[in-house]
Amino acid sequence: MQLCIFDLRRGQQEGQELDKILFFFPADLPFATQLSVIGLSEGLITFTRIFSPDAACEVIEAERHSHVFYEAESDIWMVMVVDKSKESKAACQVDALRKVLKEVHSLFVLFHGTMRSMLEKETSGGLIRSHLYPFITDYLSDFLTGRKLQLPSFHDCLMERGTVQMLTVGREAAIEVQSLVKVLECSAGTTSCYSLVLFQDLLVSTTLSPDDTISLFTYAVLRLTPHALSSGATSWSYLQRNNIYRSRDASLDQENNCQVKRPLHHNRWFRGNDGFLASDIWGTDNGSQTSVTPIVYLQLTEERMYLCAYQHKSLTIILLVPVSSILNGEQGLSLVKQQVLENASLKMLMVEEKLSKGWGGENAYHVSGYRYLLVDDERVSRASPPAKVMTLAKESLLALSKLREEVNLEKKRAKCSNSEVNCDKELEICVRAKNGAWVIARTSRGKELYMVLEKASETLLYAADSVEKFSNRFAFDALHILYIEAIISSPRYFVLYH
């Protein structure tokens, strides 16, 4: 796999071509090879814009490689070049690879702000390179198995990146969560603070915008939740040793007198005695032993916020406090944390207890006989537990991966047609896999359902009837309830929920 980030506004004059390269993986490839990959990508972007000015190419399929494109910001492109599997051309979903690019970009913006703003701040490009190389290297460490990168493949076709997975809670627990959110806002002493409440690796409540919610939820599941803290990867030692992951700009942070932030580095968060999570991501405060609280950027407002995380057993609470509202830096922030502990400790204990009693474990949302993925408007998803998905045959997953590619193409055609009828049209496809399993996709009103039935009878009618029963009982109604729970923190919706 090769992954590059380049800026079309840079390096357009002869002899300055290297200026356009912001990131390239593997970093030790000759510059001539890097420029060749980026030059081909730039040519394809320019060529396809002739026919589609508003939407340049997303993927180019060559005989041996797939070229996946994502315009992260205006004229800043991320391109992934992936070798095609010898076993099957359906090994990698193009849409899944694009979502990897989107995810790493959204996480980078969360902690550093936009790439364009960093380039405007320091025009030579040294600043952004010194941050991109370690950041993406840390991100890729999660995909490393032994000595090989395992990118999303047909094995992950019952997963969806860039969404949140929510915990379904009862009325009594929802009221307690709502009360806790109000207490947190009062304790922070400002009306412009935000919060996320998670139980295990599931979202319970959010007061952020959808895009910011997805970014914070993704980061929390990667590095903050109890499961993430206890499963610190051991692959980083290999990444440090291997020259392939070495950044050619590793010394630029020293030249630019900037401290490189490593928010995706494993084992950088730990739980303090007071329940708040501490981190040395930003180093320490003026040479002291006090860790500096990380700062994140909101996508919607570009506001800088302190990230304060509290954890009790399976409950994780993320509180975002505006930097502008804290006058004395870390000292003022410690007072906010003290207020939270004094006012909300009992509430947090009560919420954790109620959620634990109603939690059915990792298989809580497993539906016997089905292996499924539900996606609601690309914001919320729910899927069969990974252990259950592993019981499926390879042929079933390959068939589903191909089917998802077809559905994605149909969605893009509907979007490009600008027709309200097409955008709202319902679609259902049933495919018989080579091993006899039924693979089914259904879309309706912004919701998508993907399902594999390996033990269904021989008839299509039986398979269709099984999907209908599942849809009516679990799928679309369940996700509708999830959305009501997501907005329950707003009082005007509470009567509707009740």
Side-chain angles (χ1 to χ4, degrees), residues 366-383:
H366 172 61
V367 182
S368 180
Y370 294 90
R371 303 294 184 268
Y372 65 92
L373 168 67
L374 305 169
V375 184
D376 192 336
D377 197 26
E378 297 185 350
R379 296 292 186 185
V380 179
S381 68
R382 175 173 289 177

Side-chain angles (χ1 to χ4, degrees), residues 36-297:
S36 176
V37 173
I38 290 177
L40 174 61
S41 301
E42 186 175 359
L44 291 170
I45 292 168
T46 303
F47 177 73
T48 53
R49 273 180 169 167
I50 297 174
F51 306 97
S52 179
D54 298 328
C57 60
E58 294 184 355
V59 60
I60 297 293
E61 295 287 357
E63 182 179 355
R64 298 181 181 179
H65 302 89
S66 295
H67 301 249
V68 183
F69 297 78
Y70 173 56
E71 188 174 14
E73 299 173 23
S74 179
D75 290 328
I76 296 180
W77 285 82
M78 305 177 71
V79 179
M80 184 185 294
V81 183
V82 183
D83 288 342
K84 287 188 175 179
S85 170
K86 296 180 180 179
E87 298 179 1
S88 171
K89 293 182 179 180
C92 289
Q93 279 188 68
V94 170
D95 193 60
L97 296 178
R98 277 177 54 82
K99 288 185 176 179
V100 169
L101 298 178
K102 291 180 180 180
E103 182 174 273
V104 69
H105 174 257
S106 66
L107 289 173
F108 184 84
V109 171
L110 177 66
F111 285 98
H112 299 282
T114 63
M115 296 182 186
R116 183 62 65 193
S117 64
M118 292 188 74
L119 286 169
E120 292 174 351
K121 181 180 179 180
E122 199 276 312
T123 56
S124 72
L127 177 65
I128 190 170
R129 291 189 190 102
S130 66
H131 286 79
L132 275 174
Y133 275 89
F135 187 90
I136 299 182
T137 297
D138 291 343
Y139 178 82
L140 292 177
S141 69
D142 288 354
F143 294 91
L144 196 67
T145 302
R147 297 190 171 216
K148 185 177 180 181
L149 283 172
Q150 296 288 350
L151 294 173
S153 66
F154 66 92
H155 294 287
D156 306 305
C157 56
L158 284 179
M159 294 175 57
E160 189 73 6
R161 287 184 176 271
T163 60
V164 299
Q165 294 81 52
M166 297 192 66
L167 177 70
T168 302
V169 297
R171 174 179 176 272
E172 185 178 350
I175 293 174
E176 292 294 341
V177 172
Q178 183 188 30
S179 177
L180 171 61
V181 170
K182 296 300 180 184
V183 173
L184 291 173
E185 291 177 353
C186 294
S187 301
T190 173
T191 57
S192 57
C193 73
Y194 302 93
S195 66
L196 275 83
V197 180
L198 298 94
F199 182 82
Q200 301 283 358
D201 284 349
L202 301 173
L203 182 66
V204 179
S205 170
T206 177
T207 60
L208 284 163
S209 68
D211 288 339
D212 288 318
T213 294
I214 291 173
S215 296
L216 261 298
F217 174 81
T218 300
Y219 181 72
V221 171
L222 287 176
R223 296 295 184 265
L224 291 179
T225 60
H227 178 263
L229 291 178
S230 63
S231 61
T234 58
S235 60
W236 175 247
S237 58
Y238 171 74
L239 289 176
Q240 284 185 313
R241 292 195 305 268
N242 197 322
N243 290 332
I244 292 179
Y245 295 84
R246 187 187 67 250
S247 165
R248 66 181 178 89
D249 294 277
S251 61
L252 283 175
D253 58 316
Q254 297 177 356
E255 296 177 7
N256 289 291
N257 295 319
C258 66
Q259 185 175 12
V260 176
K261 308 168 185 177
R262 303 292 291 272
L264 288 180
H265 200 323
H266 285 281
N267 302 320
R268 298 299 287 268
W269 286 92
F270 54 92
R271 187 177 182 276
N273 295 330
D274 59 356
F276 279 96
L277 299 183
S279 172
D280 61 349
I281 291 173
W282 267 241
T284 56
D285 190 9
N286 296 326
S288 69
Q289 296 300 315
T290 304
S291 297
V292 177
T293 303
I295 295 175
V296 297
Y297 295 77

